[in-house]
Amino acid sequence: MGDKSKYISSAFLLLVSCVIVKIIGAVYKIPLTAFIGAVGRGYFASAYNLYLPVHAVIMGAFPVAISKLTGKYNALEDAETLSALKKGATRLMVKVGFVGMAVMLLIAKPYCNFIAASPQSLYTVLVLAPSILFCAMAASYRGFCEGFMNMRPTAVSQTLEALFKMVFGLVFARVTMAYLTEVYASTGAVLGTVARSQKEALSLIYPVTSATAMLGVTFGSLVSLAYVVIYDRINRGTLPRCGRARTKSVQGELLNFSFPIMMSVAIQSVFQFLDTATVQYALGRVDTAALGAAYAESIKIAGARQSDLVTYVYGLMSAALDFKNLIPGITMALGVCAVPAVSAAAEKNNSEHLSALINDIYKYTVLLSVLGGVFLAVCSREVLDFFYASSSPDIPVGCEKLVAAFSLTVPFYCLAGSAVFCVQAIGKAQKSIAPYIVSGAVRSFLNILLVKNEKYLLYGAVISGAVGYMIMAIWNIFVVKKYTKTKIDVKNIFVKPTFIALILLIVMKNAAEFVEICQKPFYNLLIESAVCSLLFCILCLLLKSLKLSDIFCRFNCKKNA
């Protein structure tokens, strides 16, 4: 199987699993909120605010490093170093996982008391902390397989993790809520504390139900770890024995390669915080009458108070970002697959093949983001209604146009992600730090400048995000171009996808009312997605952006494997 075919096959598998995980995640949130309430979701969010930076640093650096080095030594056919890498990576990730878990446990109480101002979130944080260890241990096995462009362990394990998180999280939350409510009804107390009213009882119950729901997340990560360990035992190849010195040497190489990626992730986390903070700051400087007038319809439905306007409007943006982030989250699979593929091609010193591979990665990323972005832009109201019409009808009203605007900018986010992965794959991860800093500074500056302008408001954040990530994408593309001598295929990466996006947007906008032939929104969404996908494929084939061999490559690869 050729490298391009193997890349497409691996990326296809990972893309499918990412879509499944995103669907499970979206479905999971609706009944979860019903069981633990908005207050419980607040405890959930507080725990994740502490968990995500630790998880991002570990999972954003080490799996990429393991995948990159595995791809490198596999291309060099160095079996001894591969054996040392596998052993060293497993041991290192256990240590890293313990450190990450310890950090969460040590700062949990001061964080909950002084930063989150939610002492009862402590239970949720403590329950979530072990998942850092389980995720880190699983990452060593997944990263090693990814280095061979075997994405099955990653695809299956992340799907199992999401599925078990949903099933057991909901079961644990529901059982706990039912039990504690029944105990309160019969004794008037919750876990030994007397509650004078139902409202007071719920305030005692929600921290516990949130913690048991979070137990599903930790259990899901444990199941994911168990799967990759069993998969490794069953499919373990014969690698030569290696000495302790060689293992330590490879561990040092892993750490050296991971460090600049860790720095990039840390800087990215800081600027993501500044990104949201500057939007909140700018909204706070907007005249409340103007803010209320701009979102009057949704505010009326929600019944938001005048004093909560800024918080409410920022909440609309958070809801819109959930949908905007879906597409980059899915196309990230192309970047993950790019690391071993580009690394192996770079080691073979075949500049022509490397150039073709990198251009294909960029092209597929942009095309996929165009398809997802246009569909979400045209069907933003239908998608929002599907999730929120019954529970929070104000969100579709307030977010429809914002989601559509964000959706049209997702190619910048997606291309930036794939470009960063390519920079990491060629061993120049430190070169991605400067683009992160500049992009973050530009986004923060534009947020303050535009969001407080009554003409733009939240649309200022759409503009700042597009500009910032466009800078990041172009900068990293030129880094790859400089160090690999890749000739960028502007026509196939930028010109044709833009033309396809415009035609698709115009046709779908005008055809939307004719496509809605069913009474149920879900079926209309399925029909619209099928029409959009079919039209997209036809346009790609007509413009020769894709070949039939590309579309059916996954099935051909599977047949010939």
Side-chain angles (χ1 to χ4, degrees), residues 375 379 382 508 512 515-516 524-532:
F375 171 73
C379 303
E382 291 92 332
M508 288 301 297
V515 174
E516 295 180 4
N524 279 329
L525 277 175
L526 288 180
I527 294 170
E528 287 174 322
S529 64
V531 171
C532 188

Side-chain angles (χ1 to χ4, degrees), residues 73 143 145 336 405 416 423 487 491 509:
Y73 290 115
C145 290
V336 171
V423 170
K487 185 178 180 182
K491 184 178 178 181
K509 275 282 188 183

Side-chain angles (χ1 to χ4, degrees), residues 24-79:
I24 291 173
V27 172
Y28 169 58
K29 290 177 182 177
I30 298 171
L32 178 66
T33 303
F35 294 149
I36 67 176
V39 177
R41 282 295 299 273
Y43 295 137
F44 235 67
S46 295
Y48 267 112
N49 286 342
L50 181 58
Y51 167 84
L52 288 176
V54 179
H55 183 270
V57 169
I58 293 174
M59 302 302 289
F62 291 101
V64 174
I66 295 168
S67 176
K68 149 68 181 174
L69 294 179
T70 302
K72 171 185 173 181
Y73 290 115
N74 181 45
L76 296 174
E77 299 182 354
D78 188 344

